[in-house]
Amino acid sequence: MFLVGLTGGIATGKSTVSKMFADLGIPVIDADKLSRQVVRPGTLGAKKICKQFGLEVFHPNGQLNRDLLGQIVFSGSIHIEKSRGLVRPRPKYGRPT
């Protein structure tokens, strides 16, 4: 199997290329969509984020305020360390991936 990782900044064509792959029948895994699923209201990911960063990083409707959380997390290395591994599994042995 041949795997391709598609990365890039905002408005660089990632969605366009992903759609082209999908139109050709090539399976596409969209990490952005998956990351939104694991922090939906009531999920374990949302609960972990709430425990670590508090209710203030959520909108009144329970949706994660991604902009605010991003500002907090990237404001200092201590916050980056706190956020690592909250919503992604950690391996049982060895270093985190």
Side-chain angles (χ1 to χ4, degrees), residues 2 4 6 10-11 15 22 31 38 46 57 60-62 75 77 79 89 92:
F2 184 71
V4 174
L6 185 58
I10 296 172
S15 296
V38 299
V57 298
N61 66 2
S75 68
S77 61
H79 299 296
K92 291 183 181 181

Side-chain angles (χ1 to χ4, degrees), residues 15-52:
S15 296
T16 301
V17 174
S18 293
K19 184 179 180 328
M20 292 168 72
F21 284 158
D23 290 346
L24 292 169
I26 299 169
V28 174
I29 298 171
D30 188 327
D32 190 48
K33 288 180 184 176
L34 293 175
S35 71
R36 292 180 192 288
Q37 289 178 4
V38 299
V39 296
R40 288 186 312 231
T43 61
L44 181 59
K47 290 174 185 174
K48 287 181 176 182
I49 290 171
C50 184
K51 183 177 179 182
Q52 187 67 50

Side-chain angles (χ1 to χ4, degrees), residues 25-97:
I26 299 169
V28 174
I29 298 171
D30 188 327
D32 190 48
K33 288 180 184 176
L34 293 175
S35 71
R36 292 180 192 288
Q37 289 178 4
V38 299
V39 296
R40 288 186 312 231
T43 61
L44 181 59
K47 290 174 185 174
K48 287 181 176 182
I49 290 171
C50 184
K51 183 177 179 182
Q52 187 67 50
F53 294 99
L55 280 173
E56 61 270 10
V57 298
F58 292 88
H59 293 290
N61 66 2
Q63 295 290 327
L64 179 63
N65 184 335
R66 296 168 69 88
D67 290 336
L68 178 58
L69 182 60
Q71 289 173 16
I72 293 168
V73 167
F74 295 113
S75 68
S77 61
I78 185 80
H79 299 296
I80 293 172
E81 288 302 317
K82 285 182 179 181
S83 68
R84 289 198 178 156
L86 283 179
V87 295
R88 65 182 171 140
R90 292 203 172 254
K92 291 183 181 181
Y93 305 101
R95 296 182 61 190
T97 56

